[in-house]
Amino acid sequence: MDGNAPDFAAASRAALADPQLRGNFRRAMDGLMTKRAAQFADAGEWHAVRALAASVRLRALSKLPELLEKLEENCTRNGITVHWAATTDEANAIALDILHKVNAKLVVKGKSMVTEEMHLNAVLEKDGIEVLESDLGEYIVQLDGTMPSHIIMPAIHLNTKQIAHLFKRKIKDAESREDAAYLTDLARRVLRAKFQAADVGMSGVNAAVAETGTLCLIENEGNGRMCTTVPPVHIAFMGLEKVVEKLEDVPPVISLLPRSATGQPITTYVNMISGPRKPGEKDGPREVHLVILDNGRSGIYADPELRDTLRCIRCGACMNHCPVYTKVGGHAYEAPYPGPIGKILVPQIEGLAKRGAMPHACTMCNACVEICPVKIPIVEIMGRLRVEAVKPGGAVKDGGAKASRAEAMVWSGWAAMNASPPAYRIATAAMGKLGNATPSSLPILKEWTNVRTKPRFAGRTLHDLARAKGIPDV
């Protein structure tokens, strides 16, 4: 394993050994799955709106280069300054340059997965700039000094009691009350004062409309609207795949996202940002900046099969239904994007040398594919990445990083055995007699036996069992 690579297996074992964590996730995931199912009780409506949203994303990706140019043109016409960043380092440098120009000391942030990808908070704090997350879940994990464990509900791994104890330790004059309403009001009082004092507000982007140069941001708490209207400067961050062609493409996404994410029929706030404050207007920022991040996405886009990764609308439904994620939680991945979408996106962004274990953290059960609102073939892409991990010279960064000569020899032997009926009969007969005596310490069995008991061979082939039951050969 790469010395810098997160140890997913070790982190997963630790999570599985934590009954509190597993209990928190089990209750949360059961509730989210039930709420989502209720929202899509009409199968016909689900299939229709899902097909529409998938077509919106596919059409946008088919025209991505020209739509990005059109977005820049119309945003600039609207008074939004557009910045392009090839890497997270470039994006962080752009953000710091803007902040330095306005002498910013305090930044308030709405939810943005791209800034998590950039590790922007750490960069700003290192530069002496105070940064405060204003989404309640993000605020909680910021106080706790941890990463979000879910892309929609960052603090879903904590229960009310744990949050109450955290607030008592971290917030001055906080009472130790396990009451959700009190805890929410306490956070609101802290954040409201910061909104008024902030020099810059930051946010993500759910969809950027090329036709009009409009940034669409949806949220439930109102913090997004505060971040984008109260401070004098607003900086929005988006991955380059977030563009859509027309304004009429936004409603299908807005219809599916909250229902898939949290089981809500509709989101509370829809913010449509088309420029800074105009003369005579009483609110809004004086400056609006849009930072468009690549960070490996153009490479993903270049491959026709992997390109489907970029359809994602960040609803998190795949996580809520994943049998792996719901058992180990988001922190086991040690990545900005956990769960099924993270298992196909992060290895492509960060490389298979560092993230080659992620595509293997999957049962290939297809649950994520069945509920994805934009029909991303996650399992197919997962299989492709497993191949890329052991195949040098592929399309993905660090392709072949997990290649093993011993494993290649074993698979070559397996292929040869299954291509020859006599070899198959001899090999299965030998395994029936010798297989149970195979030592578990053999390198080829090490990864299996670290977490499982070595399987025992039955001693007879399927053909033998069928003949014993009188089933003729086919």
Side-chain angles (χ1 to χ4, degrees):
M1 177 177 289
D2 186 320
N4 296 319
D7 190 341
F8 178 79
S12 297
R13 286 193 288 270
L16 292 171
D18 185 341
Q20 180 69 72
L21 178 70
R22 294 189 66 180
N24 291 351
F25 265 95
R26 185 71 274 158
R27 285 188 293 273
M29 297 298 106
D30 286 349
L32 288 168
M33 287 190 288
T34 300
K35 290 177 182 178
R36 181 203 164 276
Q39 289 298 323
F40 295 112
D42 184 338
E45 190 263 349
W46 155 245
H47 289 301
V49 71
R50 187 188 191 210
L52 178 58
S55 69
V56 165
R57 296 300 300 131
L58 284 169
R59 175 160 42 84
L61 290 175
S62 72
K63 304 177 179 180
L64 186 59
E66 63 184 84
L67 290 184
L68 287 169
E69 291 180 2
K70 189 173 183 180
L71 175 68
E72 180 182 31
E73 178 186 342
N74 287 325
C75 282
T76 302
R77 183 180 294 117
N78 292 342
I80 299 173
T81 303
V82 178
H83 308 264
W84 299 89
T87 65
T88 56
D89 286 342
E90 286 187 21
N92 286 324
I94 289 167
L96 283 173
D97 183 59
I98 297 169
L99 296 175
H100 292 162
K101 285 179 178 177
V102 298
N103 195 31
K105 302 299 181 186
L106 172 62
V107 172
V108 288
K109 287 178 70 236
K111 176 179 281 295
S112 166
M113 293 311 301
V114 165
T115 60
E116 294 289 344
E117 187 179 329
M118 294 161 53
H119 303 288
L120 179 60
N121 288 8
V123 171
L124 299 187
E125 289 167 357
K126 186 177 180 180
D127 197 67
I129 298 171
E130 182 184 357
V131 56
L132 189 73
E133 295 285 355
S134 64
D135 173 88
L136 180 57
E138 293 279 0
Y139 176 63
I140 290 169
V141 296
Q142 185 182 29
L143 286 180
D144 200 30
T146 57
M147 295 176 66
S149 59
H150 193 287
I151 63 173
I152 297 295
M153 296 150 286
I156 199 168
H157 57 289
L158 299 174
N159 60 27
T160 305
K161 180 178 181 179
Q162 291 170 310
I163 295 169
H165 290 173
L166 174 67
F167 278 19
K168 176 65 177 175
R169 296 196 313 271
K170 297 289 186 175
I171 300 177
K172 184 180 179 181
D173 299 327
E175 299 176 21
S176 184
R177 290 170 55 182
E178 297 174 24
D179 174 39
Y182 166 76
L183 296 171
T184 302
D185 185 61
L186 178 61
R188 184 183 292 118
R189 290 200 302 269
V190 173
L191 293 170
R192 185 58 61 99
K194 296 292 186 179
F195 285 130
Q196 297 292 340
D199 303 299
V200 173
M202 293 181 174
S203 75
V205 177
N206 291 104
V209 185
E211 175 186 54
T212 60
T214 301
L215 311 180
C216 177
L217 173 64
I218 69 174
E219 36 115 5
N220 282 324
E221 300 173 18
N223 64 298
R225 186 161 296 180
M226 296 287 281
C227 287
T228 59
T229 58
V230 176
V233 178
H234 169 215
I235 309 175
F237 298 85
M238 63 174 267
L240 57 76
E241 77 278 18
K242 287 291 186 171
V243 66
V244 296
E245 184 176 9
K246 304 174 183 179
L247 197 59
E248 67 188 43
D249 293 333
V250 175
V253 175
I254 291 179
S255 171
L256 278 172
L257 203 158
R259 289 194 284 171
S260 297
T262 57
Q264 298 170 248
I266 192 170
T267 191
T268 308
Y269 295 90
V270 178
N271 305 288
M272 308 293 277
I273 302 164
S274 294
R277 182 193 307 187
K278 294 178 174 60
E281 292 183 339
K282 296 183 177 180
D283 59 13
R286 296 192 304 269
E287 299 178 26
V288 178
H289 298 262
L290 173 62
V291 180
I292 302 176
L293 177 66
D294 185 332
N295 197 32
R297 289 166 173 81
S298 57
I300 298 172
Y301 177 77
D303 186 284
E305 182 179 18
L306 300 177
R307 182 182 302 173
D308 285 330
T309 307
L310 302 178
R311 290 193 215 175
C312 181
I313 61 173
R314 305 292 191 269
C315 69
C318 60
M319 300 177 193
N320 304 343
H321 293 73
C322 174
V324 177
Y325 174 87
T326 56
K327 296 294 188 297
V328 303
H331 288 158
Y333 297 86
E334 299 180 69
Y337 306 99
I341 189 60
K343 285 180 276 194
I344 62 172
L345 178 60
V346 175
Q348 296 184 71
I349 289 175
E350 298 187 12
L352 290 163
K354 182 177 180 180
R355 297 294 188 174
M358 289 185 73
H360 292 273
C362 176
T363 65
M364 309 298 252
C365 68
N366 225 47
C368 53
V369 177
E370 292 177 5
I371 53 81
C372 176
V374 289
K375 298 185 176 182
I376 301 173
I378 295 175
V379 170
E380 290 181 19
I381 297 173
M382 204 92 68
R384 167 71 183 279
L385 292 177
R386 291 181 179 186
V387 172
E388 292 278 347
V390 297
K391 182 181 178 182
V396 180
K397 180 181 178 182
D398 303 328
K402 302 299 179 181
S404 162
R405 182 174 296 179
E407 183 177 351
M409 291 174 62
V410 169
W411 282 114
S412 294
W414 181 88
M417 178 188 76
N418 281 276
S420 168
Y424 180 83
R425 284 193 291 270
I426 293 169
T428 53
M431 285 188 285
K433 292 181 171 59
L434 304 174
N436 293 328
T438 305
S440 299
S441 59
L442 285 178
I444 195 63
L445 294 177
K446 184 177 179 182
E447 287 303 315
W448 179 281
T449 55
N450 275 345
V451 291
R452 302 176 180 87
T453 301
K454 181 165 63 66
R456 297 181 62 83
F457 293 103
R460 290 188 292 173
T461 67
L462 289 175
H463 287 289
D464 293 334
L465 295 172
R467 291 191 195 101
K469 291 182 178 292
I471 301 172
D473 288 340
V474 178

